Amino acid sequence: MGIVERKEREREDMRRLIMDGAKQLFLANGFEKVSIRNIADAIEYSPATIYLYYKDKNELLFALHQQGFIKMVQEFRPLLVLTDPFEKLVQMGRAYIRFAVENPELFDLMFIMTAPMDKLDLEEWEEGDQAFGLLMHVVQECIDAGIFKQHDVRATAMMIWSAIHGYTALFLRKRLGMFPDCDRQMIMDDAFNLFCQTLRHGL
Amino acid sequence: MGIVERKEREREDMRRLIMDGAKQLFLANGFEKVSIRNIADAIEYSPATIYLYYKDKNELLFALHQQGFIKMVQEFRPLLVLTDPFEKLVQMGRAYIRFAVENPELFDLMFIMTAPMDKLDLEEWEEGDQAFGLLMHVVQECIDAGIFKQHDVRATAMMIWSAIHGYTALFLRKRLGMFPDCDRQMIMDDAFNLFCQTLRHGL
DNA sequence: CGAACTTACTGAACACTGTTTAGTGATGCA
DNA sequence: TGCATCACTAAACAGTGTTCAGTAAGTTCG
């Protein structure tokens, strides 16, 4: 009797329905401005129903957080065919920044907001591991190719990630107000290129 | 008759009383967990009174935001006596990170949270300018001393700030879960040192 | 001095928020 | 058919930022 299977399918459908509704609202209006009641309205259920499928709002955020990593890694994957490892690294940096600019809310959730991180805390973090592993792999290729000196791969990858992340985080959180609007984009690009250049030849 | 002066003084006192109460609660419990009612309780006034002195909660946050910059610049100032400009730069980086670790809530407010930035938006941002100006000054010294090549000072300073900021932002927002607890501190230090080294000699 | 005006302050309300619980009506199984 | 299980919800709880009418002092002036 396929009843339990059907129920399970229906449950999965319902989770998806909630998730999709939540995603739409979150990405359109920002996470702060979307309430459980908003989501409930959008999918035409009562707010309490959402709690039968997700423990709380943070669990909803965390599910989206996971999806974000899958999406980002997908955008990285095409770059892996590039042969020059340094070029690969530079393009990954650009892809990271592009992802942040094109999906600001998702990026926020993935790398800035604290809420979703309360959901994994000390456990394993597969998605984060995978994305960082990708970066480490490329860095290792750069070392193997003699482009980078033989420093610790993790520390090197960490340093590069930090630099690119800082750049995007400051931009997204509107901390570049000291630059005139017209110059901002140029300074940002210059800073990124300068960083890439510095990796090869120092400042 | 000094009545209007006294009133003005009393108003200033009241603003300080609110600010001090708010600061204590904010820095102790985090910004999200402190309500206007909490602050009102702490200073033994009604919540509505706070609105007679500050337009809204964000204005309170912004005032603290400003104080944070003053405090940070004060911690930078002693470093300016150092003679080696590169050493000065490295120590400023360390000071930035130290400030973030020792004042996580304040740092958050200054560089990560969006709330206080809604309060200045397009206007001039004196405090930010001053802090960034300090960095630019040291970078210029490095260029003048022939330590750095003659790139655009703003872009160079921006690149360096980004790198250091990324490092601290990822740490504060708990995005380093992929590293085992025991290694984390070491990787962070290695990454920082590696960045400093890279500035001089490339990676 | 006493009346009138001004000011500082507050209780109570408004419109929200996330979350829990008791209860309802449909579905599945004996 | 009757009982149990299930999905679902209305209503409530405790909290949030914020506003507003009303009160009780302080100040000014005739």
Side-chain angles (χ1 to χ4, degrees):
Chain A
M1 54 178 83
I3 285 179
V4 304
E5 284 87 346
R6 196 204 64 204
K7 291 252 165 168
E8 217 159 285
R9 225 181 321 120
E10 283 177 351
R11 202 183 152 74
E12 223 31 67
D13 285 350
M14 191 64 181
R15 275 179 71 95
R16 219 189 330 274
L17 179 71
I18 294 169
M19 196 58 236
D20 287 350
K23 196 196 316 193
Q24 264 200 317
L25 290 173
F26 279 147
L27 300 187
N29 309 349
F31 299 101
E32 311 283 63
K33 280 170 194 154
V34 176
S35 69
I36 296 287
R37 281 174 180 81
N38 294 156
I39 300 168
D41 280 354
I43 60 172
E44 297 180 295
Y45 279 86
S46 95
T49 302
I50 292 174
Y51 287 89
L52 299 174
Y53 296 88
Y54 290 93
K55 203 188 135 288
D56 55 26
K57 200 185 178 184
N58 276 359
E59 201 166 291
L60 223 46
L61 287 178
F62 182 64
L64 200 49
H65 172 274
Q66 301 276 61
Q67 288 189 17
F69 274 92
I70 292 165
K71 186 172 179 184
M72 196 181 73
V73 169
Q74 265 171 7
E75 296 196 10
F76 280 166
R77 217 171 287 283
L79 300 174
L80 298 180
V81 301
L82 291 172
T83 46
D84 178 2
F86 187 74
E87 177 65 15
K88 210 187 287 188
L89 189 66
V90 171
Q91 291 303 330
M92 269 180 74
R94 283 200 202 284
Y96 187 87
I97 293 166
R98 195 179 336 110
F99 182 85
V101 172
E102 286 173 5
N103 313 279
E105 291 293 334
L106 207 52
F107 182 87
D108 214 302
L109 190 58
M110 290 163 67
F111 296 111
I112 308 183
M113 286 176 64
T114 45
M117 297 319 270
D118 300 340
K119 282 283 139 189
L120 71 177
D121 225 27
L122 292 167
E123 306 162 54
E124 291 293 300
W125 184 24
E126 209 186 312
E127 283 75 15
D129 262 344
Q130 202 193 339
F132 191 70
L134 223 64
L135 175 61
M136 281 212 294
H137 179 76
V138 179
V139 169
Q140 185 64 61
E141 285 182 325
C142 287
I143 294 174
D144 292 343
I147 299 169
F148 290 168
K149 299 195 194 82
Q150 295 216 6
H151 295 110
D152 178 55
V153 194
R154 284 196 303 182
T156 310
M158 179 68 212
M159 187 271 270
I160 293 172
W161 178 28
S162 292
I164 306 300
H165 175 77
Y167 187 73
T168 56
L170 288 169
F171 174 74
L172 281 185
R173 290 303 173 102
K174 303 202 177 73
R175 255 56 179 198
L176 305 178
M178 70 279 271
F179 303 130
D181 269 24
C182 46
D183 299 6
R184 204 171 301 161
Q185 189 59 54
M186 210 193 59
I187 293 174
M188 298 265 294
D189 285 345
D190 285 357
F192 178 78
N193 291 325
L194 201 53
F195 178 70
C196 297
Q197 212 176 310
T198 301
L199 288 181
R200 300 211 72 157
H201 313 112
L203 201 62
Chain B
M1 55 178 79
I3 285 180
V4 304
E5 284 87 347
R6 195 204 66 204
K7 291 251 166 169
E8 217 159 284
R9 226 182 319 120
E10 283 176 351
R11 200 182 153 75
E12 225 29 69
D13 286 349
M14 191 64 180
R15 274 180 72 94
R16 220 190 327 276
L17 179 70
I18 294 169
M19 197 56 236
D20 287 351
K23 196 195 321 194
Q24 263 199 319
L25 289 174
F26 280 147
L27 300 187
N29 309 348
F31 299 101
E32 311 283 63
K33 282 171 193 154
V34 176
S35 69
I36 297 287
R37 282 174 179 81
N38 294 155
I39 300 168
D41 280 354
I43 60 172
E44 298 179 296
Y45 278 85
S46 98
T49 301
I50 291 174
Y51 287 88
L52 300 174
Y53 295 89
Y54 290 92
K55 203 189 136 288
D56 54 26
K57 200 185 177 184
N58 276 0
E59 201 166 292
L60 222 45
L61 287 178
F62 181 65
L64 199 49
H65 172 273
Q66 301 276 61
Q67 289 190 16
F69 273 91
I70 292 165
K71 186 172 178 184
M72 196 181 73
V73 170
Q74 266 171 7
E75 296 196 10
F76 281 165
R77 218 170 287 284
L79 301 174
L80 297 181
V81 302
L82 291 172
T83 46
D84 179 3
F86 187 74
E87 176 66 15
K88 211 187 285 189
L89 190 66
V90 171
Q91 291 303 330
M92 267 180 76
R94 284 198 201 286
Y96 188 87
I97 293 166
R98 196 180 334 112
F99 182 84
V101 172
E102 287 173 5
N103 313 279
E105 291 294 334
L106 207 51
F107 183 87
D108 216 300
L109 190 60
M110 291 162 67
F111 295 110
I112 307 183
M113 286 177 65
T114 44
M117 296 320 269
D118 300 341
K119 283 284 140 191
L120 71 176
D121 225 27
L122 292 167
E123 306 163 52
E124 292 291 301
W125 183 24
E126 209 185 314
E127 283 74 15
D129 262 344
Q130 201 193 340
F132 190 71
L134 223 64
L135 174 62
M136 282 213 293
H137 179 74
V138 178
V139 169
Q140 185 63 60
E141 284 182 327
C142 287
I143 294 173
D144 293 342
I147 299 169
F148 291 167
K149 299 195 195 82
Q150 294 216 8
H151 295 112
D152 179 55
V153 194
R154 282 196 305 183
T156 311
M158 178 69 212
M159 187 271 270
I160 294 172
W161 178 29
S162 291
I164 306 299
H165 175 76
Y167 186 75
T168 55
L170 289 170
F171 174 74
L172 281 185
R173 289 302 172 104
K174 302 203 178 73
R175 255 58 180 197
L176 305 178
M178 69 279 272
F179 303 130
D181 270 23
C182 46
D183 299 5
R184 202 170 303 162
Q185 189 58 53
M186 210 191 59
I187 293 174
M188 298 267 293
D189 283 346
D190 284 358
F192 178 77
N193 290 326
L194 201 53
F195 178 70
C196 298
Q197 212 176 309
T198 301
L199 288 181
R200 301 211 71 158
H201 313 111
L203 201 60

